[in-house]
Amino acid sequence: MDFSIFERVGLSLFAVLLVLSCFSCLDTSAQIGLVDPDRVMRHVERMVSYGPHPSGSEAQKKVEIYIVDQLQSYGLEVHTQTFQPVTPLGRPEMTNIWGVLPGNRESVIILASHYDSKYFEDFPFVGANDSGSSSALLLELARTLTQGNSTDYSLWFAFFDGEEAVADWTSADSLYGSREFVQMLKSRGLLHRISALILLDMIGGKDLVLRKEMNSTSWLNQIIWDQGNQLGFGDIFQMRGYTAAQDDHLPFAEEGIPVVDIIDLDYAYWHQREDTADKLSAENMGIVGDVVLASLPEIAKRLDTDD
Ligand SMILES: [Zn+2]
């Protein structure tokens, strides 16, 4: 075969277009296996190894340093916010952490988890699922998305302190970190940049069942549960029934920000001594991560239509 120069240029252009269109399908098509379940499990084991780590404890400081180190190792810019709220047990020092991945636009999608473990007087509670699993997955999502952000949005990976009640859950004794974070965004004039919040909590159980959460924004629920089912995980992302949670998404929802809480409230060892790493499934944590990754471009598309 012999091609004239014009035909060769035409063919090369065609080849380039083919390659380009392939890249764009890679960006938008849902893939599984991007999240490494073993890495997630290793993060859980590391955080649990520090022992019970309620807000203000020495162990919580170690978890904080671990999270900051990991985020920095992915090349993210890391911010912290330290505060001392009034609680039924004095004024413990708490720290929110967030890693920033700048996007093509200023608008931000926050992916979040709490990283404190609830304090129990009677027994040691390490909180492998609550809050180890979600914090571990959030670290792995940060690593994965740093290698390729499938949206134009800036992404913040936020680790809230003080989600748990210091004594008994009330609107005043809970959600210390997320409430403080929203106040900070307000006072710095940054709240308008936040387009959506995706919250993870207790997503690592072996019998993981996730139902849409009632205080979450319905279109966000719909996108994530649809993706879960399309990827073949309908046994985890149950389309029937709802759950309702008081969680770190509420301070954002009160400001009118679209929010979703992905939470398993049926976890058998919730707030029990037995919430340890051996009760978790690396595979399930990986699945939740892949579903979140697959949902992100869809969420961005939907946010674009609201602009
Ligand atoms: Zn809890």
Side-chain angles (χ1 to χ4, degrees), residues 223-274:
I223 286 176
I224 291 168
W225 266 255
D226 279 350
Q227 286 295 324
N229 280 265
Q230 279 168 29
L231 290 173
F233 306 120
D235 51 337
I236 292 177
F237 287 84
Q238 299 268 342
M239 287 303 225
R240 295 168 66 150
Y242 276 86
T243 189
Q246 310 276 309
D247 209 343
D248 284 321
H249 59 324
L250 296 184
F252 293 85
E254 280 164 17
E255 300 298 332
I257 294 167
V259 296
V260 62
D261 189 11
I262 305 175
I263 184 168
D264 173 15
L265 281 175
D266 297 326
Y267 180 57
Y269 307 103
W270 176 66
H271 287 185
Q272 292 182 32
R273 182 200 292 261
E274 294 80 12

Side-chain angles (χ1 to χ4, degrees), residues 152-166:
D152 272 351
Y153 284 76
S154 297
L155 301 176
W156 290 4
F157 306 95
F159 297 79
F160 299 127
D161 204 345
E163 184 266 351
E164 301 286 5
V166 169

Side-chain angles (χ1 to χ4, degrees), residues 54-298:
S55 299
S57 65
E58 282 294 308
Q60 174 72 336
K61 201 75 198 162
K62 289 178 184 162
V63 179
E64 176 196 329
I65 291 167
Y66 179 68
I67 290 171
V68 169
D69 282 352
Q70 291 299 307
L71 293 174
Q72 283 174 341
S73 76
Y74 311 145
L76 294 167
E77 185 184 305
V78 179
H79 300 260
T80 58
Q81 171 196 27
T82 297
F83 54 100
Q84 287 188 286
V86 175
T87 79
L89 291 179
R91 302 191 63 177
E93 188 174 284
M94 300 187 185
T95 302
N96 290 328
I97 309 162
W98 65 108
V100 170
L101 178 62
N104 293 332
R105 43 197 294 180
E106 286 258 289
S107 305
V108 177
I109 298 173
I110 300 179
L111 294 107
S113 164
H114 75 97
Y115 75 102
D116 56 313
S117 65
K118 183 164 169 59
Y119 171 68
F120 289 97
E121 206 180 337
D122 313 337
F123 59 88
F125 177 76
V126 295
N129 200 22
D130 178 17
S131 57
S133 63
S134 51
S135 298
L137 178 56
L138 190 56
L139 283 175
E140 175 62 357
L141 286 171
R143 187 189 70 85
T144 311
L145 285 158
T146 304
Q147 294 176 351
N149 179 356
S150 53
T151 77
D152 272 351
Y153 284 76
S154 297
L155 301 176
W156 290 4
F157 306 95
F159 297 79
F160 299 127
D161 204 345
E163 184 266 351
E164 301 286 5
V166 169
D168 297 314
W169 188 284
T170 65
S171 59
D173 183 16
S174 63
L175 312 180
Y176 294 99
S178 51
R179 286 190 285 131
E180 191 73 21
F181 191 76
V182 167
Q183 282 311 311
M184 178 274 297
L185 292 175
K186 267 184 168 173
S187 65
R188 294 191 195 171
L190 292 172
L191 199 65
H192 70 280
R193 283 183 58 196
I194 312 303
S195 295
L197 171 93
I198 302 168
L199 179 66
L200 305 166
D201 200 352
M202 296 198 284
I203 45 71
K206 285 182 178 161
D207 301 319
L208 184 63
V209 170
L210 297 167
R211 295 180 210 284
K212 294 173 187 168
E213 195 278 321
M214 291 178 80
N215 297 312
S216 300
T217 307
S218 58
W219 67 260
L220 273 169
N221 270 335
Q222 196 64 42
I223 286 176
I224 291 168
W225 266 255
D226 279 350
Q227 286 295 324
N229 280 265
Q230 279 168 29
L231 290 173
F233 306 120
D235 51 337
I236 292 177
F237 287 84
Q238 299 268 342
M239 287 303 225
R240 295 168 66 150
Y242 276 86
T243 189
Q246 310 276 309
D247 209 343
D248 284 321
H249 59 324
L250 296 184
F252 293 85
E254 280 164 17
E255 300 298 332
I257 294 167
V259 296
V260 62
D261 189 11
I262 305 175
I263 184 168
D264 173 15
L265 281 175
D266 297 326
Y267 180 57
Y269 307 103
W270 176 66
H271 287 185
Q272 292 182 32
R273 182 200 292 261
E274 294 80 12
D275 181 5
T276 46
D278 57 302
K279 310 299 189 307
L280 301 186
S281 157
E283 189 190 351
N284 286 349
M285 293 189 281
I287 288 169
V288 174
D290 283 334
V291 170
V292 169
L293 286 181
S295 301
L296 270 176
E298 301 301 317

